[in-house]
Amino acid sequence: MGIPTNMFTVMFTLGRLPGWIAQWLEMRRDPDFRIGRPRQVYVGATKRLDLIWPAYARTGARSATAPCDR
């Protein structure tokens, strides 16, 4: 098609724009029949121990026995 690489994002967006606008219009017209996603709240661990293990740094492969506090 000859579309320059730096225009791929624009072409992606243009193809989806009519659907996005239709969804927005539908949500604005009828507040009782909204097509929306439910709110998602992360309830998992808030802190995670991230360490670079010497074996991982050398080989790029993680050890199956590496500890993690998840």
Side-chain angles (χ1 to χ4, degrees), residues 5-68:
T5 305
N6 63 350
M7 294 297 289
F8 283 175
T9 304
V10 174
M11 296 303 291
F12 173 87
T13 303
L14 286 175
R16 284 159 176 76
L17 198 57
W20 292 338
I21 292 172
Q23 181 180 2
W24 178 75
L25 287 172
E26 192 169 279
M27 285 175 45
R28 298 286 297 159
R29 265 190 222 127
D30 189 0
D32 294 331
F33 183 69
R34 288 189 159 199
I35 299 175
R37 293 180 179 90
R39 185 167 177 240
Q40 297 178 4
V41 179
Y42 179 71
V43 294
T46 57
K47 190 173 181 180
R48 187 175 133 187
L49 180 63
D50 288 324
L51 299 174
I52 298 175
W53 301 98
Y56 177 69
R58 279 194 311 272
T59 65
R62 289 188 183 218
S63 168
T65 60
C68 184

